[in-house]
Amino acid sequence: VEGASPIEEPAVARRQGETPDRILVAAILDGDQGALRFLVERESAALVRLCYRILGDLGEAEDAAQEALVIAYRALGTWRGEGSLAGWLGRIAARVATRRARRLRAVGWVTPGSPDGSDPSPLWAARPDGSADPLTAALRAEEAARVRAAVARLPDLYREVVVLRFFADLPLAEIALQLGKPLGTVKTHLHRGLLRLRDELAEGRR
Amino acid sequence: VTPSTPRPRLTLLADELTDVAGRPLPPDEERRLLEAAALLEALVRDDPALRPEVVARALTVLAREPQPRPLRALVVALRRRQVRQAAAAVGSWWSVAGHPGWPVPVRLQAAAGLALVAAIAAGTLGLGAVAGAGLVERALNVGPPASPVAPTNVPAPTPPRGPVVVLPTPTPSPAQELPEATGEEPSETPALTAAPEGTMTPRPATTPPRQAGATPGATAGATPAPATPTATASPSPLSTGTPLPSETPEPSDEHHHED
């Protein structure tokens, strides 16, 4: 992130035995505004991306990421330093975004119409030359919304693992660290979550 | 410490999937799971770019938040001798303790700080009140002796009663002074009568019978006997047995009226 203010080198030198995340958190807890700015600039992109993958709406995703940052800041004193700070933030953001996804109402779908003009539709009217394929885009968006809704309906145990693995791009070992569970348990939850998701999506297609 | 780069996108691998016992899955089930994973991975193909105003907005919101460790914020401010920051830290405790959005441990910490501040304030107020009350009480106790408010104690030594008061300087030996009194100073009698402040001057006849009897000769020669001004020069009225005539000039009107 450009313009990020790095933590002062002397501070790092004084605490060489600690991880950079711990140094960063300690500086923020001491009221260092530069450290807080550094953290926000470093993690905002990942948080917005994660929330967007869950919500599918950029405005909602930005609001969810900001809410997650506020929640994380308030609870920063309770961070135990197990696992990465980014993973901890991602877990908070995933919860916030999932809660918002459950509150979102059903999206009103646009009728695709037909390309020959017999059934005029805003989609085809927007691209009269037919260079793009708005119908395909609309169908893809519908499918994505369906998958997101299915993920949001998963049981908490499975959903958290699935979201952290696929939307936050965390490896399973890091997820196990963040959740405080054995790696085998995390694998099992992922397995069951994917099975449940697949069954639900297949059920919806029928 | 450098800003982190975006994490590489992870594709689910078959070895990440095991059954409950940790054994590899059957090929058919593994294929179904990988299909479901492919649906999820398809969602993340078109990630949006981060808009710069998002960071600025988040920083603005966070700048208004109190410190995440209320008591530590106060300690740090005091250590740095930042009085304003310390006051702000204490002031933020109320909003932290009463806001459900804060974690419970942080709220408890802020509430404990508030209780401590309240106890200190109550103790200070109590001590101030006691000290103030002590000052006021001392001021009230010191004031009355210096003030002329209580003259009621003064009349106590003036209990002269009776007509004795009228003659402040009775002659101890009227017989010896008779020539002077009769010959020279009858004119001083008005002065003498004026001195006792009116209540007793107009009545020379009220002289005690004993004195009147003691100056039979004087009365015969001139003005009424009490006019014997030379008696003032007499140094020892006690010799005559009169009850301290020198103290009589201060009769109180109240006693006369009461009598």
Side-chain angles (χ1 to χ4, degrees), chain A residues 24-65:
Chain A
L24 191 61
V25 169
I28 294 172
L29 290 176
D30 281 343
D32 189 338
Q33 292 296 312
L36 178 62
R37 181 182 187 85
F38 174 80
L39 175 68
V40 171
E41 290 178 343
R42 191 185 77 175
E43 299 297 334
S44 286
L47 293 180
V48 171
R49 193 166 52 237
L50 166 62
C51 294
Y52 178 78
R53 289 171 178 177
I54 296 173
L55 289 163
D57 181 272
L58 184 56
E60 280 283 335
E62 290 173 349
D63 289 346

Side-chain angles (χ1 to χ4, degrees), chain A residues 30 53 62 66 74 191, chain B residues 18 29 47 51 57 72:
Chain A
D30 281 343
R53 289 171 178 177
E62 290 173 349
Q66 178 179 308
R74 289 174 175 175
H191 176 193
Chain B
T18 58
E29 187 172 351
D47 285 332
R51 295 187 295 181
R57 199 176 62 183
R72 184 170 175 173

Side-chain angles (χ1 to χ4, degrees), chain A residues 1 4 6-7 9 12 15 20 23-24 26 28-33 36-38 40-46 48-49 52-53 58-59 62-63 65-66 69-71 73-78 84 86-87 90 140 143-145 147-148 151 162 165-172 184 187-188 190-192 194-195 197-199 201 205, chain B residues 1-13 15-23 25-26 28-51 53-59 61-69 72-73 76-77 79-80 85 99-106:
Chain A
V1 178
I7 303 300
E9 288 301 324
V12 177
R15 307 174 182 178
I23 299 169
L24 191 61
I28 294 172
L29 290 176
D30 281 343
D32 189 338
Q33 292 296 312
L36 178 62
R37 181 182 187 85
F38 174 80
V40 171
E41 290 178 343
R42 191 185 77 175
E43 299 297 334
S44 286
V48 171
R49 193 166 52 237
Y52 178 78
R53 289 171 178 177
L58 184 56
E62 290 173 349
D63 289 346
Q66 178 179 308
L69 279 171
V70 172
I71 292 174
Y73 175 73
R74 289 174 175 175
L76 203 57
T78 64
S84 67
R140 275 183 55 193
E143 179 73 7
V147 172
R148 288 189 180 103
V151 171
V162 168
R165 173 60 184 81
F166 290 97
F167 294 165
D169 291 327
L170 291 180
L172 291 183
K187 283 185 176 181
T188 302
L190 180 65
H191 176 193
R192 292 177 179 174
L194 286 176
L195 279 181
L197 185 68
R198 184 186 178 281
D199 293 344
L201 290 173
R205 286 198 181 99
Chain B
V1 179
T2 55
S4 66
T5 55
R7 283 183 287 274
R9 188 163 297 159
L10 299 176
T11 302
L12 187 67
L13 302 174
D15 61 355
E16 291 184 275
L17 299 172
T18 58
D19 64 0
V20 178
R23 292 170 302 195
L25 298 174
D28 185 43
E29 187 172 351
E30 182 180 300
R31 183 184 53 78
R32 287 191 295 153
L33 290 177
L34 290 176
E35 284 178 3
L39 284 176
L40 293 171
E41 288 164 356
L43 285 181
V44 301
R45 284 190 197 129
D46 48 351
D47 285 332
L50 178 67
R51 295 187 295 181
E53 59 263 28
V54 174
V55 173
R57 199 176 62 183
L59 286 173
V61 171
L62 290 175
R64 289 197 296 263
E65 288 286 319
Q67 290 289 312
R69 276 190 180 171
R72 184 170 175 173
V76 169
R79 196 179 297 160
R80 294 175 181 169
Q85 302 255 351
H99 198 288
W102 285 84
V104 173
V106 181

Side-chain angles (χ1 to χ4, degrees), chain B residues 174-190:
Chain B
Q176 298 173 357
E177 299 173 357
L178 183 59
E180 296 180 11
T182 55
E184 292 181 352
E185 301 178 284
S187 61
E188 292 184 5
T189 50

Side-chain angles (χ1 to χ4, degrees), chain B residues 60-179:
Chain B
T60 305
V61 171
L62 290 175
R64 289 197 296 263
E65 288 286 319
Q67 290 289 312
R69 276 190 180 171
L71 298 184
R72 184 170 175 173
L74 175 65
V75 170
V76 169
L78 290 177
R79 196 179 297 160
R80 294 175 181 169
R81 296 180 181 177
Q82 296 171 335
V83 179
R84 190 175 296 176
Q85 302 255 351
V90 173
S92 68
W93 290 352
W94 179 260
S95 59
V96 171
H99 198 288
W102 285 84
V104 173
V106 181
R107 293 178 66 189
L108 288 178
Q109 199 181 58
L114 279 178
L116 184 65
V117 168
I120 292 174
T124 306
L125 279 178
L127 285 177
V130 168
L135 286 176
V136 170
E137 187 177 1
R138 191 191 305 174
L140 289 177
N141 288 339
V142 169
S147 67
V149 178
T152 52
N153 294 333
V154 177
T158 62
R161 300 191 178 192
V164 180
V165 179
V166 179
L167 293 175
T169 57
T171 58
S173 57
Q176 298 173 357
E177 299 173 357
L178 183 59

Side-chain angles (χ1 to χ4, degrees), chain B residues 204-237:
Chain B
T206 59
T207 54
R210 188 174 57 84
Q211 284 189 347
T215 59
T219 56
T223 57
T228 58
T230 55
T232 56
S234 63
S236 61

Side-chain angles (χ1 to χ4, degrees), chain A residues 117-204:
Chain A
S118 60
D119 185 7
S121 165
L123 283 175
W124 295 109
R127 295 288 180 91
D129 60 348
S131 58
D133 188 1
L135 177 59
T136 304
L139 291 175
R140 275 183 55 193
E142 183 181 4
E143 179 73 7
R146 221 161 51 82
V147 172
R148 288 189 180 103
V151 171
R153 284 195 299 270
L154 284 176
D156 290 347
L157 279 177
Y158 306 154
R159 190 199 62 246
E160 195 161 33
V161 174
V162 168
V163 164
L164 291 178
R165 173 60 184 81
F166 290 97
F167 294 165
D169 291 327
L170 291 180
L172 291 183
E174 172 73 15
I175 295 173
L177 209 55
Q178 292 293 337
L179 301 182
K181 293 173 180 172
L183 181 60
T185 305
V186 171
K187 283 185 176 181
T188 302
H189 289 169
L190 180 65
H191 176 193
R192 292 177 179 174
L194 286 176
L195 279 181
R196 183 81 66 99
L197 185 68
R198 184 186 178 281
D199 293 344
E200 189 162 339
L201 290 173
E203 190 78 19

